[in-house]
Amino acid sequence: MVALACSDPVEHGLPLCRWTIRTLRRAAIELGHVRSIAVETVRRWMVIADLKLHRFVSWLHSTDPLFEQRMTDIVGLYADALKGKLVYCLDERTGMQALERFVPDLPTRPGLIRKREFHYRRHGTLTLFGSFEVATGKVLGLCRQRHRSQEFLEFMNWLVPQLPDDQELHFVLDNYATHKTKAVQEFLDGHDGRVQFHFTPTHASWLNQIELWFSTLTRRVLHLGDFASRERLERTVMDFIDYHNQHDAQPYRWTYTGQPREV
């Protein structure tokens, strides 16, 4: 029964993408593994075998031929950042929607969960260009309506003058095309090597620490936010950055050192 549960239903000619306890029981009988068996017995066997048929996790395999080189470089930067090297993680949080609910939420009460009206009005979207300082956990950011190379360069020209001018600045970022245009290369050349980009491997955004902070932003601000305009959304995001820097900014306890990941 465990072997059957670990197989794909399609292998047995069934139009199913996954097993349930009842479909597993039926298949076991039809395939002749057992003459009869109770649903509860199958459920108990799945518990004993620690098989959770309804659950799955997603993963994405990177085929980047430079994966090892880029990964080692970035992990080394994170270690050096705690020794004084200036390392910043950059990325765009795209598609932030300014959604306004038709009716305000009914707040949490003892014994009652928060209730939310399903319908909403759309007031457009924004992109947050963000910079996360690895050594301190502090964030700097700008909101714009688009995320082209022009907006990225505007962000970099706004960001770099705010950072120390007597040390090299190392930026970790992904392989998005707007980060590699001719204008961006000219921007880097104009700083004579003081500003350096370090690209993550393809399909390896988990190596960029700002993704962790974007997750916090999504959960604390965007997921249940109610925004009557793009301007309101922008003010809220900027206020949250100030709040984070004042109360919660600290370096992440980064534990990945380059060892193979389990799948």
Side-chain angles (χ1 to χ4, degrees):
M1 189 66 73
V2 170
L4 181 61
C6 292
S7 67
D8 192 325
V10 176
E11 297 174 12
H12 307 284
L14 298 174
L16 306 172
C17 64
R18 67 175 187 178
W19 294 111
T20 65
I21 297 298
R22 293 184 182 277
T23 58
L24 188 62
R25 169 189 173 273
R26 184 180 303 117
I29 294 173
E30 292 177 350
L31 292 171
H33 298 323
V34 294
R35 277 188 286 180
S36 180
I37 190 171
V39 170
E40 180 61 17
T41 300
V42 177
R43 187 194 67 79
R44 290 173 60 187
W45 285 357
M46 295 302 102
V47 172
I48 292 171
D50 194 26
L51 286 171
K52 301 177 177 63
L53 303 179
H54 62 291
R55 298 189 61 185
F56 72 94
V57 295
S58 299
W59 64 287
L60 185 61
H61 176 65
S62 176
T63 58
D64 192 336
L66 299 178
F67 181 90
E68 191 76 19
Q69 175 184 332
R70 289 174 169 177
M71 175 273 296
T72 302
D73 176 41
I74 290 171
V75 170
L77 283 175
Y78 291 161
D80 291 341
L82 302 180
K83 302 174 184 177
K85 181 174 286 189
L86 297 180
V87 181
Y88 304 87
C89 294
L90 303 182
D91 203 3
E92 298 89 4
R93 175 53 171 91
T94 60
M96 298 190 303
Q97 298 189 71
L99 302 180
E100 180 185 14
R101 301 290 159 176
F102 283 6
V103 179
D105 288 4
L106 299 179
T108 302
R109 292 287 186 269
L112 295 174
I113 63 173
R114 179 173 180 166
K115 294 183 178 180
R116 158 154 288 203
E117 161 67 27
F118 178 80
H119 293 288
Y120 51 79
R121 299 181 183 88
R122 295 179 182 271
H123 298 289
T125 62
L126 287 176
T127 290
L128 171 65
F129 291 84
S131 166
F132 179 88
E133 186 174 8
V134 173
T136 66
K138 291 187 176 181
V139 175
L140 293 173
L142 280 180
C143 285
R144 293 293 181 264
Q145 293 186 25
R146 304 181 69 176
H147 50 279
R148 303 168 299 174
S149 179
Q150 296 94 308
E151 285 77 21
F152 176 67
L153 278 174
E154 181 183 348
F155 171 63
M156 292 303 301
N157 283 313
W158 171 84
L159 175 66
V160 169
Q162 301 183 59
L163 305 179
D165 59 3
D166 58 346
Q167 298 182 56
E168 290 184 349
L169 305 176
H170 298 269
F171 296 100
V172 175
L173 64 170
D174 62 27
N175 291 272
Y176 190 39
T178 59
H179 301 158
K180 297 182 174 182
T181 63
K182 180 180 178 181
V184 171
Q185 186 58 51
E186 291 173 351
F187 166 83
L188 294 175
D189 294 341
H191 286 83
D192 298 323
R194 189 174 74 89
V195 177
Q196 299 184 23
F197 281 0
H198 303 259
F199 295 102
T200 61
T202 57
H203 303 319
S205 60
W206 52 270
L207 276 171
N208 192 333
Q209 289 192 14
I210 199 172
E211 297 291 352
L212 301 174
W213 187 83
F214 281 163
S215 175
T216 300
L217 171 69
T218 301
R219 287 182 281 109
R220 294 187 181 181
V221 178
L222 304 178
H223 183 57
L224 291 177
D226 192 14
F227 311 106
S229 65
R230 273 195 294 232
E231 291 72 24
R232 176 65 179 273
L233 171 61
E234 181 175 355
R235 287 198 304 271
T236 302
V237 170
M238 293 298 104
D239 288 345
F240 177 72
I241 290 176
D242 293 338
Y243 178 90
H244 166 82
N245 289 339
Q246 181 179 354
H247 299 287
D248 297 328
Q250 60 181 344
Y252 288 122
R253 191 170 67 88
W254 187 261
T255 59
Y256 181 64
T257 58
Q259 69 275 15
R261 306 288 289 181
E262 291 186 2
V263 177

